């Protein structure tokens, strides 16, 4: 038997709240993880039955728009039917078996969600990738993961063709396209139309692999992180309830690319809580499109990375009416307090920050209703025991800077990556004593709030003062000239290293005298934060190097400085 009844013999239905409370208790580590767990069978199909029994408002489970009039709405039942058809395509035309790996590199198209669920139904391990991947990136990922199949769209197919002869494991290529067929590719939409709707969901064990994620590559080559069925499938339920604050009446829009772990956490936060996932195809990030979408659709909950909020607050937000919006979130990078305040002032909606990694679920968060301390990423989120530790893994007292670490001994949290695949050295190097070391530096205050300083390598050591780049960037963000900035170390004959700020100016300031502006910004930083942190060097640039997920790559700027 599955966790919540097996197909054909549905368990009597308690009310949704009772079911979600059970998942939430497991997610918080208060109840044991079941031996068998499959998200499609034990969560999605349960919601289908709840929906059928009238236990859910007539809200879609999935709502996709492309901004030019096309729209798709699926109930849990329709999602179930379509994903069972997709599962038959994976097993039939693609010949995939449980444990085989499949890369999903798709724009924000409904097929990404369908195929993700189809992977769960068939036990195929999904490997999402972002659509900006180059031939070289695709080759690296296909070779490293030994994926047997890939699904992608027209624009990526030529890149896959260029490198697939060098990827011997790759057996089938699936194209999501309405145009004519492409030699060597199976047409997914055609196959889906013809596929049968009956499919028996695989009975997966909780520890069986579910997904492999490549990290963002902010600090080097992306690493392969493997998560189990329950790690993601149950690990986001509680944060989905308490931080994302989702219920079955909510419509949740996370603008993230499908290749990032943030797309997975949207899926695994929203659907167990019965909420609707809203998707805009958003071919490119455009502040006005985002704001118009928020005004047009009854979106209750919004999540964007800080980079996008930095863009949004440059607009006159008072011109828009967000009638349904009641909760906003961010994460993936540090949120500058100034951006949060501007957003709140103009929309009257608070911005709740969370912190996590591809290796984990939510590590720290500001659950809805908890007092926010501006600039802090919130408190440890259960079941994680999060501590600040020194380089030997000893817990440091409140107020001291150290490594952000998660306790993994004596008990490794269930919602945690299994390992860096094929990289035992890297896996071993990420552990110290009883802890997993995140690679991030922070302080915890006496109330348990965490204050992010930077990634280990990004912290600047100037005349033995340790300076977190985020504090300086946040101080700069308070000046109207600064659209965004990246702060890194730069060599200095006397101090060893000094603070250098790379600054993108707002349009109003782009023609100002750079020397006068440099002095003004230096004085500004000295005024709003401890003066020793001010940038002794300043460079004005038109853009900052970023990962495709929009994270600032300080390491690129730093190596550029030190190479000079
Ligand atoms: P790589 O490990 O390949 O260098 P990455 O660490 O950027 O890439 P992800 O797993 O996508 O890959 O990102 C997790 C990291 O993002 C965290 O370790 C942290 O450095 C940063 N991060 C996430 N949320 C926050 C936040 N709220 N504040 C500050 N930093 C954050
Ligand atoms: Mg990382």
């Amino acid at each position: 038997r599955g966790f919540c009844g097996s197909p054909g013999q549905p368990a009597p239905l308690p009310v949704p709240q009772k079911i979600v409370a059970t998942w939430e208790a497991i997610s918080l580590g208060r109840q044991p993880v079941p031996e068998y767990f499959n998200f499609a069978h034990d969560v999605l199909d349960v919601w289908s039955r709840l929906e059928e029994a009238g236990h859910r408002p007539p809200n879609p489970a999935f709502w996709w728009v492309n901004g030019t009039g096309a729209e798709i709405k699926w109930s849990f039942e329709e999602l179930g039917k379509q994903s069972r058809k997709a599962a038959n395509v994976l097993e039939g035309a693609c010949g995939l078996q449980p444990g085989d790996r499949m890369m999903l590199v798709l724009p924000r198209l409904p097929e990404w969600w369908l195929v993700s669920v189809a992977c769960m139904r068939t036990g195929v391990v999904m490997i999402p990738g972002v659509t900006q991947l180059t031939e070289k990136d695709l080759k690296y990922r296909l070779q490293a993961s030994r994926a047997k199949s890939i699904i992608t769209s027209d624009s990526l197919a030529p890149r896959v063709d260029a490198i697939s002869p060098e990827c011997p494991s790759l057996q089938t290529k699936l194209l999501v396209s309405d145009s004519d067929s492409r030699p060597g590719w199976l047409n997914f939409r055609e196959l889906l139309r013809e596929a049968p709707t009956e499919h028996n969901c695989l009975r997966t064990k909780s520890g069986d692999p579910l997904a492999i994620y490549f990290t963002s590559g902010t600090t080097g080559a992306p690493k392969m992180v493997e998560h189990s069925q329950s790690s993601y499938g149950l690990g986001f339920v509680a944060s989905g309830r308490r931080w994302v604050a989702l219920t079955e009446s909510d419509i949740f829009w996370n603008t993230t690319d499908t290749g990032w772990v943030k797309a997975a956490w949207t899926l695994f936060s929203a659907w167990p809580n019965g909420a609707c996932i809203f998707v805009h195809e958003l071919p490119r990030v455009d502040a006005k499109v985002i704001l118009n979408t928020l005004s047009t659709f009854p979106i209750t909950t919004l999540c964007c990375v800080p980079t996008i909020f930095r863009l949004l607050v440059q607009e006159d937000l008072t011109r828009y009416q967000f009638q349904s919006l009641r909760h906003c979130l961010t994460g993936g990078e540090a949120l500058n307090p100034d951006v949060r305040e501007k957003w709140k002032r103009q929309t009257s909606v608070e911005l709740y920050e969370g912190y996590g990694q591809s290796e984990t679920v939510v590590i720290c968060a500001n659950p809805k209703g908890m007092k926010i301390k501006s600039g802090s990423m919130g408190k440890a989120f259960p079941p994680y025991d999060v501590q600040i530790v020194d380089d030997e893994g000893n817990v440091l007292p409140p107020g001291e800077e150290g490594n952000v670490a998660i306790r993994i001994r004596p008990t490794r949290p269930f919602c945690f990556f299994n390992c860096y695949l094929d990289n035992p050295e890297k896996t071993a190097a990420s552990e110290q004593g009883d802890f997993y070391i995140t690679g991030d530096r922070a302080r915890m205050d006496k109330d348990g709030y965490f204050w992010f300083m930077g990634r280990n390598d990004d912290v600047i050591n100037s005349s033995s003062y340790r300076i977190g780049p985020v504090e300086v960037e946040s101080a700069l963000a308070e000046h109207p000239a600064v659209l965004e900035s990246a702060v890194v170390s730069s060599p200095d004959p006397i101090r060893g290293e000094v603070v250098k700020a790379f600054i993108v100016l707002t349009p109003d300031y782009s023609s100002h005298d750079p020397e006068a502006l440099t002095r003004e910004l230096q004085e500004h930083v000295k005024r709003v934060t401890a003066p020793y942190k001010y940038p002794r060097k300043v460079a004005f640039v038109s853009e900052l190097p970023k990962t495709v997920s929009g994270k600032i790559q300080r390491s690129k700027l730093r190596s550029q400085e030190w190479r000079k």
Side-chain angles (χ1 to χ4, degrees):
R1 278 179 68 87
F3 174 41
C4 283
S6 44
Q9 303 168 287
L13 286 175
V15 288
Q17 285 75 3
K18 232 165 133 181
I19 297 181
V20 176
T22 309
W23 296 331
E24 195 182 6
I26 300 168
S27 176
L28 291 167
R30 293 178 187 157
Q31 273 190 33
V33 177
E35 186 183 355
Y36 288 90
F37 177 76
N38 183 293
F39 188 83
H41 177 255
D42 295 326
V43 174
L44 298 179
D45 294 349
V46 169
W47 270 111
S48 277
R49 299 205 299 273
L50 290 168
E51 187 179 71
E52 199 185 10
H55 288 304
R56 191 173 173 269
N59 221 6
F62 181 78
W63 186 352
W64 174 89
V65 301
N66 73 349
T68 56
E71 186 172 60
I72 283 178
K73 283 183 186 175
W74 288 326
S75 60
F76 278 105
E77 172 55 24
E78 187 64 20
L79 171 71
K81 182 175 139 199
Q82 294 296 334
S83 62
R84 278 189 283 275
K85 282 160 100 40
N88 285 322
V89 174
L90 300 197
E91 284 176 354
C94 300
L96 293 171
Q97 308 271 331
D100 285 347
R101 297 170 182 171
M102 176 174 202
M103 263 196 93
L104 283 70
V105 192
L106 287 172
R108 299 172 188 85
L109 292 175
E111 282 82 0
W112 186 83
W113 284 265
L114 269 194
V115 175
S116 299
V117 178
C119 285
M120 299 169 201
R121 293 194 184 280
T122 52
V124 169
V125 180
M126 61 192 259
I127 311 173
V130 293
T131 47
Q132 294 92 330
L133 294 180
T134 61
E135 286 174 15
K136 186 166 154 261
D137 300 330
L138 282 163
K139 188 168 97 180
Y140 169 70
R141 283 161 175 75
L142 284 168
Q143 288 181 343
S145 67
R146 299 183 297 282
K148 285 207 175 148
S149 185
I150 185 167
I151 181 162
T152 192
S153 60
D154 285 318
S155 58
L156 266 289
R159 283 178 240 170
V160 176
D161 279 339
I163 50 92
S164 48
E166 295 166 77
C167 304
S169 305
L170 190 64
Q171 289 168 5
T172 49
K173 299 185 278 191
L174 276 176
L175 191 64
V176 176
S177 167
D178 283 328
S179 59
D180 285 346
S181 58
R182 186 179 172 91
W185 289 74
L186 299 166
N187 187 314
F188 179 74
R189 285 183 175 157
E190 250 172 56
L191 292 169
L192 189 73
R193 262 194 301 276
E194 288 151 19
T197 48
E198 284 78 42
H199 181 266
N200 275 335
C201 188
L202 186 79
R203 189 169 177 251
T204 44
K205 285 203 156 186
S206 291
D208 288 347
L210 168 91
I212 296 170
Y213 267 90
F214 283 85
T215 57
S216 300
T218 312
T219 51
K223 305 172 282 271
M224 278 190 290
V225 163
E226 187 186 72
H227 280 277
S228 69
Q229 296 286 334
S230 62
S231 173
Y232 270 7
L234 287 164
F236 287 107
V237 181
S239 54
R241 197 82 176 166
R242 296 168 184 219
W243 171 47
V244 197
L246 293 172
T247 69
E248 58 268 34
S249 339
D250 283 304
I251 299 182
F252 179 26
W253 184 24
N254 182 349
T255 56
T256 186
D257 190 292
T258 58
W260 296 115
V261 89
K262 275 174 101 248
W265 80 250
T266 310
L267 192 162
F268 294 113
S269 311
W271 282 343
N273 287 299
C276 168
I277 295 177
F278 181 90
V279 182
H280 189 299
E281 190 176 349
L282 213 63
R284 61 186 192 87
V285 172
D286 179 325
K288 290 199 171 60
V289 171
I290 295 178
L291 296 171
N292 281 326
T293 305
L294 275 181
S295 315
T296 311
F297 295 94
I299 294 157
T300 61
T301 315
L302 172 73
C303 181
C304 299
V305 285
T307 305
I308 293 188
F309 279 112
R310 283 199 285 270
L311 280 181
L312 298 184
V313 297
Q314 297 296 317
E315 303 287 320
D316 177 6
L317 298 175
T318 54
R319 288 184 37 234
Y320 298 86
Q321 288 235 309
F322 309 135
Q323 284 168 19
S324 306
L325 191 67
R326 58 170 196 87
H327 192 55
C328 292
L329 309 126
T330 194
E333 254 202 320
L335 171 68
N336 311 114
D338 185 63
V339 173
R340 173 185 156 246
E341 276 146 30
K342 281 188 182 140
W343 177 259
K344 190 179 171 187
R345 199 165 50 242
Q346 294 203 58
T347 63
S348 308
V349 186
E350 184 57 272
L351 196 43
Y352 290 84
E353 185 176 352
Y355 157 74
Q357 297 190 312
S358 311
E359 290 87 338
T360 66
V361 294
V362 175
I363 304 173
C364 290
N366 287 280
K368 191 169 189 198
M370 187 178 89
K371 179 182 167 229
I372 291 184
K373 294 195 189 184
S374 203
S376 156
M377 54 193 186
K379 293 192 189 183
F381 199 88
Y384 290 156
D385 175 1
V386 188
Q387 299 289 344
I388 300 295
V389 306
D390 66 14
D391 291 343
E392 278 72 52
N394 303 304
V395 175
L396 293 171
E400 277 193 38
E401 179 213 320
N403 301 298
V404 181
I406 299 170
R407 194 183 295 279
I408 51 168
R409 291 192 191 87
T411 313
R412 195 176 171 94
F414 79 93
C415 42
F416 205 69
F417 75 126
N418 290 335
C419 60
Y420 293 118
L421 271 183
D422 304 329
N423 203 336
E425 298 81 23
K426 195 120 210 153
T427 310
S430 70
E431 297 179 6
Q432 189 57 254
D434 291 344
F435 291 93
Y436 160 75
I437 308 291
T438 58
D440 294 317
R441 307 280 295 181
R443 277 187 290 268
M444 183 176 69
D445 68 17
K446 58 180 179 8
D447 301 325
Y449 284 77
F450 285 78
W451 300 79
F452 184 79
M453 279 199 72
R455 290 161 190 269
N456 211 351
D457 306 335
D458 287 343
V459 174
I460 303 158
N461 194 342
S462 183
S463 305
S464 52
Y465 282 107
R466 290 178 60 75
I467 301 165
V470 172
E471 285 173 295
V472 186
E473 290 161 11
S474 291
L476 283 166
E478 287 182 40
H479 193 285
V482 178
L483 178 60
E484 58 181 357
S485 69
V487 165
V488 301
S489 69
S490 175
D492 181 85
I494 296 159
R495 293 182 172 80
E497 52 188 70
V498 293
V499 176
K500 176 160 183 178
F502 290 83
I503 297 173
V504 181
L505 292 172
T506 49
D508 291 351
Y509 282 80
S510 55
S511 50
H512 277 222
D513 170 38
E515 278 181 25
L517 201 49
T518 298
R519 279 194 300 278
E520 187 178 326
L521 289 168
Q522 289 173 326
E523 289 310 311
H524 163 81
V525 174
K526 285 187 198 169
R527 249 193 332 272
V528 299
T529 182
Y532 69 85
K533 293 179 193 161
Y534 86 92
R536 285 171 194 271
K537 298 185 187 176
V538 172
F540 297 110
V541 291
S542 57
E543 58 180 1
L544 298 172
K546 288 185 182 168
T547 63
V548 277
S549 56
K551 294 188 194 210
I552 297 171
Q553 290 175 303
R554 295 181 191 81
S555 58
K556 282 209 171 148
L557 294 169
R558 189 173 52 243
S559 28
Q560 194 181 297
E561 279 306 294
W562 288 83
R563 256 204 316 269
K564 268 198 228 157

